[in-house]
Amino acid sequence: RGQGEALKGRLSASLLKGFETIRRAGSFDFVLRADTDALITGNFRETISRFLHEHPRTGMVGTLGFTCRRDSPHYGCEKTSISDVVTALAGLSSSAPEFVRIESYLRAAWRNGYVGKEYCQGGIYVLPFRTLEALSDRGCFRHPEDWLRLAVPEDVMMGMLTRTVGLECTDFSLAGQPFGSNYRGLAY
C-alpha cells in the first residue's frame, strides 16, 4: 500500500492480484478490463465468445497498440518500438529477485514471438480464461509486487505476459468490430 511507481507500477501489480482472484473464482469465457469511459455496444458477449472460440491462440483481444484507425500515423507505430518492460528492467540490478523473474518472462515471450511492443490498448481489452490459467500455471501471479517500482503500463505488461505463456495479442477493432479504441478522441 502506497508503494511503487504511482500510476503504472501500482496499476500493474493491482491488476495481477485482481486477475488471480478472478481466476480462482472459476471457469468463464473471458474477463473484460475496461476504463470507466469505455463504451460497450451490441452483442458484445456473444461476439467475443465466438471470436475466442474461433481463435484459440488469442490470449488478449482488443485494439492492438495505440489506435484502431488505420489512417492514423500512430497506427502500428509501436510494432518496432522497444518494450517498456525492456526499458524498466535496465533500471534494476540484474541480481534483484524481481529482475530475475521478470527477465525470465521476457525471455519466454521472445521465444514465443514477442517483438516490439505487442499489446491491446488498456482502455478496454479482454482476456480469455485460458490466459489467466496459463499465467497462473507459469507463476506470473505469484509476485505482483515485482512490478511496483517499474514504469510499465499494465496493458504492455499483459501483452508481454500473454506472449510469455505462448498466446497472442489479437486485434478486433475494424469498423463494426467490438473494439474501437483510440488513444485520444473518438475512434470512428
Side-chain angles (χ1 to χ4, degrees), residues 116-174:
K117 236 173 155 174
E118 179 185 344
Y119 69 99
C120 292
Q121 192 183 107
I124 182 170
Y125 60 80
V126 158
L127 301 172
F129 186 73
R130 62 179 164 253
T131 303
L132 299 187
E133 281 289 283
L135 292 171
S136 180
D137 291 347
R138 177 67 168 81
C140 297
F141 295 139
R142 280 191 209 126
H143 295 280
E145 70 278 4
D146 287 354
W147 297 91
L148 279 173
R149 295 187 304 136
L150 304 181
V152 177
E154 53 83 21
D155 50 2
V156 173
M157 173 193 70
M158 291 308 300
M160 187 272 298
L161 290 175
T162 296
R163 276 292 186 174
T164 296
V165 296
L167 297 171
E168 301 169 356
C169 297
T170 307
D171 187 79
F172 198 26
S173 70
L174 291 170

Side-chain angles (χ1 to χ4, degrees), residues 41 57 61 63 67 69 83 89 102 116 121 123 134 161 164-165 173:
T41 63
R57 301 298 319 141
V61 62
T63 297
T67 182
R69 293 189 49 204
S83 173
L89 281 177
I102 294 172
Q121 192 183 107
L161 290 175
T164 296
V165 296
S173 70

Side-chain angles (χ1 to χ4, degrees), residues 104 106-114 138:
S104 76
L106 181 59
R107 289 188 181 283
W110 283 335
R111 284 191 302 274
N112 290 324
Y114 183 69
R138 177 67 168 81

Side-chain angles (χ1 to χ4, degrees), residues 55-129:
H55 298 88
R57 301 298 319 141
T58 293
M60 183 181 201
V61 62
T63 297
L64 206 54
F66 244 34
T67 182
C68 64
R69 293 189 49 204
R70 287 5 185 216
D71 62 339
S72 169
H74 299 292
Y75 178 74
C77 71
E78 295 178 299
K79 288 181 182 179
T80 58
S81 297
I82 295 173
S83 173
D84 297 284
V85 177
V86 173
T87 305
L89 281 177
L92 292 178
S93 166
S94 62
S95 62
E98 63 267 30
F99 178 95
V100 172
R101 286 187 287 266
I102 294 172
E103 186 191 39
S104 76
Y105 301 150
L106 181 59
R107 289 188 181 283
W110 283 335
R111 284 191 302 274
N112 290 324
Y114 183 69
V115 293
K117 236 173 155 174
E118 179 185 344
Y119 69 99
C120 292
Q121 192 183 107
I124 182 170
Y125 60 80
V126 158
L127 301 172
F129 186 73

